[in-house]
Amino acid sequence: MSSTTALRPFDEIPGPKGHAIAGLLPDFNADPLGFLMNGFHAHGDLVSYRFGPKIALGKTILAAYHPDLVTRILMESERAFGRDTDGFRATSELVGKGLMTTEGAYWRSRRHILQPLFTPKRVARYTELMTAEAERIIVEHERFEGTEIDLHQAMMRYSLRVVGRALFGGEMDDAEADLHHLIPEANRGIMARTTQIPKLPLGFPIPANRRFVRTREGLYDLIDRVIDRSGSGSAADSSDNIVTRLRESKDPETGEGLTEQEVRNEALLLFMAGHETTAMGLTFGLHQIGRHPEIQDRIAAEIRANLAAGGSAADYAQNRETLGRAALAEALRLFPSVHMTERVANEDLELNGYRVPRGTSVFLVPWVTHRHPDFWPDPERFDPERFVGKHDRPRYAYFPFGGGPRVCIGEHFAVLASMVLMEALLRKYRITSHDAAISMKVLNSIRPDKDVRTTFERR
Ligand code: HEM
């Protein structure tokens, strides 16, 4: 740390007090998003939270809400700020070692191998597959025209199919029932393990650990089944899926490839990172569009105009300048699928004029920063125009895909898959969302906990 003598002490970072015995964890667990928003409104851009009991095992975590702090922490990830946090450790215990759950040389090597598979150009190769899956979802829902469906379930299915086929080259429909139960269990398990105080080794036979291990076995079993089939899909899919590419990849620096176990780990991690997040972006985005008929009509008109001008569905989906694209961005502002993430200070450092000791955890919370009133006037209003044309917001007032060296590798894939579906749906249907707000369960991601009641009617 450079000159820290003039810095204010760590203990003076403002924050809620919490109960002497229980700390803040019960309040956080009861309503994580409300709890973090309240902390921001009451205490400002850098807030100190004392989780866990005060007398022993107490752990103070900071939350950095201001875009300038977010910028610094994201840009200095892999240096001053690391990823060896309780949350990432719990994820790693569940889904193994891979790009998302490691740091340093191991992470760098994986990033080198995986990055070329996710460039905009590379991802564009999946447009055809996405278009076919979007059509398939629509055809499957034709018989429900005019009646209520659960949008969330439909988007989970679409996302399962596009992420599954891109990764493994084949259908994953038979895994849907297992995933329906395993994904919430995985999220619940990661959250429970992250906040477990004291953390007992997984081999310690308490019910929570047994449940965690069962979920892990279920996930590996599923990925083994799917991956064993990988390569047996249609010719186009099987030669060009991500697992096949991973098997062939070599680290450009070391020239080394991945073992079969490493391929499996990466595949599971990519699947876990990509499937639900993409489905959530679409669910929340289409729900908002279904609540704002005037915006929806403008997007539909844009889609018609593209076709009338001889453009293809893919042209629309790939166009960055559309209102549809802005609506997706705005949905990810209000409902970032990854509502928070965490880093740990790798060294003694300064944040916002305070001294921060090495080992301190820092939350980054898109949910809150995306509602910072200095950058987002009337923050709760769904207004895609915020993303139309130029604006003078700081870069990291908005970070649904993170940023810096650990930026989401699947961003282009997720946006393309979402826009392909939006184009196909709004070209044909008017959608109406029946609930003003989606009732949510917040674990390590946000997800609806009830049906997202929606009607599709032919335009
Ligand atoms: C709307 C959809 C998505 C959202 C909102 C999203 C969000 C994020 C965020 C915020 C991070 C950074 C977390 C941090 O810095 O701590 C991240 C990382 C990551 N995402 Fe995504 N993601 C999405 C889709 C995908 C897809 C489709 C894939 C792959 C198929 C994917 C794979 C990954 C991986 C592997 C990482 C870790 C990268 C690394 O640490 O180097 N994501 N994602």
Side-chain angles (χ1 to χ4, degrees):
M1 179 165 55
S2 48
S3 148
T4 52
T5 39
L7 296 178
R8 283 176 287 172
F10 184 66
D11 290 351
E12 287 181 13
I13 300 176
K17 291 281 166 273
H19 314 289
I21 309 290
L24 289 168
L25 206 51
D27 293 346
F28 176 74
N29 283 341
D31 173 16
L33 300 175
F35 173 84
L36 295 166
M37 276 310 291
N38 290 342
F40 166 65
H41 285 305
H43 303 286
D45 288 325
L46 181 70
V47 180
S48 159
Y49 296 98
R50 178 171 283 279
F51 286 92
K54 265 190 183 165
I55 338 158
L57 307 161
K59 178 163 179 171
T60 299
I61 295 182
L62 303 180
Y65 297 126
H66 193 282
D68 291 350
L69 297 173
V70 174
T71 306
R72 198 174 134 210
I73 294 165
L74 286 177
M75 294 326 245
E76 291 183 19
S77 288
E78 286 299 301
R79 281 174 285 141
F81 293 92
R83 216 153 173 180
D84 190 18
T85 62
D86 288 342
F88 286 110
R89 243 174 279 142
T91 311
S92 177
E93 282 179 308
L94 189 76
V95 290
K97 199 168 152 188
L99 174 70
M100 203 169 66
T101 52
T102 54
E103 47 185 359
Y106 191 94
W107 165 78
R108 235 185 335 276
S109 148
R110 289 298 177 271
R111 188 92 202 184
H112 275 147
I113 290 179
L114 283 155
Q115 185 86 44
L117 305 183
F118 287 93
T119 60
K121 204 166 152 210
R122 188 70 180 62
V123 158
R125 293 197 209 171
Y126 297 114
T127 314
E128 207 176 305
L129 167 166
M130 291 168 180
T131 309
E133 291 301 346
E135 286 303 328
R136 190 168 152 215
I137 277 289
I138 289 171
V139 167
E140 284 171 5
H141 285 83
E142 259 162 17
R143 65 195 161 102
F144 300 111
E145 251 175 52
T147 61
E148 254 175 47
I149 60 143
D150 176 13
L151 180 68
H152 174 220
Q153 198 203 24
M155 294 306 104
M156 286 292 274
R157 184 166 293 161
Y158 169 69
S159 172
L160 168 70
R161 290 171 177 171
V162 291
V163 176
R165 273 183 67 186
L167 278 173
F168 307 108
E171 294 275 347
M172 280 190 74
D173 280 16
D174 58 345
E176 193 179 336
D178 287 342
L179 284 167
H180 193 68
H181 137 85
L182 278 171
I183 288 185
E185 265 304 287
N187 290 337
R188 205 202 51 77
I190 290 173
M191 198 67 178
R193 183 78 179 146
T194 304
T195 50
Q196 196 181 53
I197 300 175
K199 226 172 278 309
L200 299 165
L202 277 177
F204 203 82
I206 54 168
N209 284 357
R210 282 205 212 99
R211 200 167 160 182
F212 190 92
V213 170
R214 253 199 324 273
T215 308
R216 182 167 71 185
E217 285 166 1
L219 285 171
Y220 272 95
D221 188 47
L222 185 128
I223 219 72
D224 282 350
R225 263 189 285 139
V226 175
I227 219 169
D228 286 341
R229 291 196 313 235
S230 139
S232 60
S234 73
D237 275 7
S238 59
S239 61
D240 206 13
N241 68 64
I242 291 169
V243 164
T244 310
R245 296 283 170 234
L246 275 175
R247 287 187 174 129
E248 294 164 0
S249 301
K250 302 243 178 303
D251 182 323
E253 276 177 12
T254 63
E256 278 181 33
L258 304 186
T259 65
E260 187 57 23
Q261 187 55 48
E262 287 169 340
V263 169
R264 277 166 203 247
N265 275 6
E266 293 302 348
L268 177 57
L269 272 163
L270 286 169
F271 183 76
M272 294 296 287
H275 162 230
E276 202 182 6
T277 44
T278 305
M280 286 316 120
L282 268 169
T283 303
F284 284 99
L286 291 174
H287 171 263
Q288 286 299 325
I289 288 172
R291 297 293 303 168
H292 294 85
E294 167 262 337
I295 293 171
Q296 182 174 171
D297 286 346
R298 284 174 58 203
I299 300 174
E302 220 177 40
I303 292 170
R304 274 197 307 277
N306 169 60
L307 293 174
S312 66
D315 290 335
Y316 182 82
Q318 282 164 358
N319 186 345
R320 291 162 185 261
E321 307 295 327
T322 61
L323 186 66
R325 181 73 78 102
L328 178 69
E330 174 68 342
L332 287 170
R333 178 185 72 82
L334 280 171
F335 304 99
S337 318
V338 178
H339 62 284
M340 61 183 282
T341 185
E342 191 181 349
R343 294 291 189 272
V344 64
N346 280 338
E347 55 196 48
D348 293 347
L349 43 83
E350 169 277 332
L351 267 186
N352 228 22
Y354 292 95
R355 188 190 302 266
V356 173
R358 178 169 185 260
T360 305
S361 284
V362 188
F363 286 163
L364 298 176
V365 192
W367 183 277
V368 175
T369 306
H370 289 181
R371 287 169 166 77
H372 199 305
D374 290 358
F375 311 103
W376 305 103
D378 196 1
E380 294 297 336
R381 191 160 60 92
F382 178 74
D383 179 10
E385 297 288 344
R386 299 180 203 266
F387 291 92
V388 174
K390 293 214 178 315
H391 53 76
D392 56 3
R393 288 184 296 269
R395 165 68 184 84
Y396 285 110
Y398 181 70
F399 59 113
F401 294 100
R406 308 285 310 229
V407 68
C408 174
I409 208 165
E411 173 174 358
H412 304 299
F413 184 96
V415 171
L416 185 61
S418 304
M419 293 312 300
V420 165
L421 192 277
M422 190 194 293
E423 196 277 344
L425 197 59
L426 297 190
R427 184 175 1 117
K428 205 161 180 184
Y429 287 110
R430 176 183 310 282
I431 64 175
T432 308
S433 314
H434 298 293
D435 303 301
I438 293 182
S439 160
M440 283 190 297
K441 176 111 188 116
V442 183
L443 289 165
N444 60 336
S445 63
I446 53 172
R447 67 188 335 253
D449 67 351
K450 294 199 177 72
D451 285 4
V452 180
R453 299 177 309 122
T454 310
T455 306
F456 298 167
E457 282 156 306
R458 212 169 273 259
R459 286 192 172 270

